[in-house]
């Protein structure tokens, strides 16, 4: 075990949920390390302006909020290590062993906060032209398309927010949506519908992303009439939802549709393993809900570690939600 | 019903939970009003420096954070009405009727976010000398005791935070606690124990707050030995926990130890009545958890109103999210 680092708590993921959970745990006195596969930030980095995170009356960019939260946890002396956790297994003394390509960690408790990632369209050309006109983040790549004609695929909050953001810098933005109404919040849907240089293409699906070395056009079909259409664009932003990368957790923690089930203390079905933020099976995925989750996860991990700290980890008592409720 | 104001959603309480819930509901297109008995702010106003609310790496005062959140909800066009809700009853058409001394409100949904209030010591002299040396908020009243000798009663986070705050401005601070160890988080407990001008009086209870027109001394007894002691102070800050004022809700919503039970959607046992923040039966009461709750409550209220809007309430107008989503 020479190469194994021993800590009380490992937080996996340095997005807003992971940083908040670590902040809380650290303030409760835990020895905590954050592992993050990088680059920094999580989903928040893709949000141009966060208007509904309380405390910023004029809104704040996702990038800035992410940086401020990282700064805050670092100010508290928590180290963010650039390593990807690849598997978790029970250790013989009741602790958990977290593997990464660059070394192992042994921890009493773990908080999983790895968030969600953009879903692929799985259209021909998407993979080939990724980074050459195909993007999953308007805030990250939008400036490359200044003055050009681009498309956003999707109809939810992210798609509409990206279309609005791109409309400020591009000549024209097509918003391609499979249905005849947007799923996004009314507040921003209205803005997109009224914006002059956004054209919403209803009831349409993308069959192919075409281009030699860079995106040149999209081939669509109307889902009602079947009619095909070729759309000339130099960039396409795919915003058709998110998925949680939880394949590596199958068989370890209970999942529902790929998201992690927890109790109200954020504990999974495995004692000592908690989850927080977008990766949880939860009714709403927002910065506000992620940090609420994370504060509870940090507190629950502290309670769990306090009970097990210095007990030699031999006779592991029967933890879980009921026990976690004890003061 | 001439004097009755009809809205889609009433939020009761303008603390951080109430404001966040209203912010979310408003952004979802609901017609929402906040009722608040005032003065503004909630428990947050009593916190000198909030260091664990993500987004403020150097911390932010409770007063400033409260003001920023109010500003944010007002920027979104939500009105905060200075009225105290006194009772809620079912209306004949399935909506809820909220009474206040100055008029009634009829709403499809209600979010209760009235928070918690300081608990009384119930010691002789406490009531008589309130405002004359007896305080429940160091951040509010501490400056009145600059350079003086004061006491804080309690051993939890609030008590220790208040002692630390007062130690910066007072000559000496006694921290009187019934037990032999602090309940507060280790992070701040350590600071209090190490601070030179804080003296912790362990295992002690306050029997009387004495003084003619202002606090002059405290009479204590040692809970182990029974020995009495007189402590000369000019101010005493009582920080022995909080209670929720839910008497007016008994028989309407399900309570547990005075706190409101909800499901994961923040809905109470009454359809259309939601709760958020400190007033909820919840494992942790923090700004972070309050806003997490509140975002979900706002979203759930929006879903509830969307389902019921224009269906059963006669000539209830039709606009809002559903209509706005149409091209």
């Amino acid at each position: 075990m020479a190469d194994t680092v021993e800590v009380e708590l490992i937080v996996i993921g340095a997005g807003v949920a992971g940083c908040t959970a670590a902040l809380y745990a650290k303030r409760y006195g835990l020895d905590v390390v954050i592992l993050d596969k990088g680059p920094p930030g999580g989903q928040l980095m893709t949000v141009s302006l966060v208007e509904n995170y309380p405390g910023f009356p004029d809104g704040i960019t996702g990038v800035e909020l992410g940086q401020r939260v990282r700064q805050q946890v670092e100010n508290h002396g928590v180290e963010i290590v650039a390593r990807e956790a690849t598997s978790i297994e029970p250790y013989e003394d009741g602790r958990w062993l977290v593997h990464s390509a660059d070394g192992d960690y042994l921890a009493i408790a773990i908080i999983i906060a790895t968030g969600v990632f953009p879903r692929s369209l799985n259209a021909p050309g998407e993979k080939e032209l990724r980074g050459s006109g195909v993007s999953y983040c308007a805030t990250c790549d939008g400036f490359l398309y200044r003055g050009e004609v681009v498309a956003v695929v999707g109809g939810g909050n992210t798609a509409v927010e990206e279309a609005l953001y791109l409309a400020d810098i591009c000549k024209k933005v097509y918003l391609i949506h499979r249905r005849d109404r947007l799923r996004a919040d009314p507040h921003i849907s209205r803005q997109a519908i009224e914006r002059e240089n956004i054209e919403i293409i209803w009831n349409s699906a993308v069959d192919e992303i075409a281009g030699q070395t860079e995106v040149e056009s999209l081939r669509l079909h109307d889902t009602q009439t079947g009619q095909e259409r070729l759309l000339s664009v130099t960039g396409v932003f795919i915003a058709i939802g998110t998925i949680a990368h939880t394949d590596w957790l199958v068989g370890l923690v209970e999942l529902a549709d790929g998201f992690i089930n927890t109790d109200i203390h954020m504990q999974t079905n495995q004692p000592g393993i908690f989850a927080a933020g977008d990766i949880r099976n939860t009714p709403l995925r927002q910065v506000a809900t992620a940090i609420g989750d994370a504060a509870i996860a940090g507190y629950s991990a502290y309670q769990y570690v306090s009970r097990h700290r210095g007990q030699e980890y031999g006779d592991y008592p029967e933890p879980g939600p009921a026990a976690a409720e004890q003061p």
Side-chain angles (χ1 to χ4, degrees), chain A residues 61-327:
Chain A
T61 66
V63 171
E64 192 188 341
L65 182 53
Q67 283 167 346
R68 289 172 72 117
V69 175
R70 278 173 76 93
Q71 184 60 55
Q72 194 165 356
V73 71
E74 286 174 347
N75 285 356
H76 276 77
V78 175
E79 197 190 355
I80 302 175
V81 181
R83 286 186 179 177
E84 179 175 5
T86 50
S87 69
I88 299 172
E89 58 172 306
Y91 189 64
E92 57 197 28
D93 63 3
R95 285 182 288 176
W96 295 101
L97 193 56
V98 179
H99 296 286
S100 88
D102 308 297
D104 295 344
Y105 290 81
L106 200 49
I108 301 174
I110 295 172
I111 297 173
I112 303 170
T114 48
V116 291
F117 298 84
R119 190 183 289 275
S120 289
L121 204 54
N122 289 324
E126 180 181 8
K127 206 171 166 185
E128 295 77 1
L129 294 168
R130 184 169 187 160
S132 302
V134 173
S135 168
Y136 299 85
C137 175
T139 342
C140 318
D141 304 326
F143 68 96
L144 297 168
Y145 301 89
R146 191 173 296 277
E148 303 185 9
V149 178
V150 300
V152 175
V153 184
N157 278 323
T158 307
V160 172
E161 277 164 11
E162 297 210 330
L164 287 167
Y165 172 74
L166 291 166
D168 286 338
I169 53 179
C170 296
K171 189 173 158 195
K172 172 155 193 172
V173 180
Y174 293 106
L175 179 57
I176 302 165
H177 187 42
R178 292 185 72 95
R179 305 184 206 292
D180 63 356
R181 58 190 325 189
L182 298 172
R183 272 183 304 108
D185 299 343
H187 184 78
I188 57 166
S189 294
R190 219 173 291 128
Q191 287 177 44
I193 289 163
E194 288 166 4
R195 185 71 67 95
E196 265 192 25
N197 65 336
I198 294 179
E199 179 182 338
I200 306 183
I201 304 184
W202 303 103
N203 300 314
S204 291
V206 177
D207 296 322
E208 189 191 348
I209 301 174
Q212 288 297 319
T213 56
E214 296 201 314
V215 170
E216 292 166 17
S217 64
L218 303 179
R219 191 162 50 79
L220 318 176
H221 79 269
D222 187 306
T223 58
Q224 311 282 303
T225 64
Q227 197 175 353
E228 292 211 351
R229 177 174 178 183
L230 205 67
L231 209 62
S232 289
V233 296
T234 53
V236 55
F237 295 85
I238 295 161
I240 52 168
T242 52
I243 49 167
H245 286 175
T246 47
D247 294 356
W248 66 294
L249 300 169
V250 170
L252 178 73
V253 297
E254 191 183 289
L255 303 173
D257 289 331
F259 296 99
I260 300 176
N261 281 340
T262 70
D263 61 20
I264 62 163
H265 303 279
M266 305 300 149
Q267 187 164 266
T268 68
N269 60 314
Q270 292 287 3
I273 303 186
F274 303 84
D278 288 353
I279 201 169
R280 268 186 72 225
N281 182 15
T282 173
L284 186 65
R285 291 188 175 83
Q286 293 280 302
V287 181
T289 55
I291 71 148
D293 283 8
I296 294 173
Y299 176 65
S300 300
Y302 155 65
Q303 290 190 310
Y304 182 87
V305 171
S306 296
R307 283 198 309 276
H308 295 85
R309 185 187 268 157
Q311 283 183 7
E312 291 309 315
Y313 312 116
D315 243 3
Y316 223 63
E318 183 58 35
E325 272 173 15
Q326 309 253 3

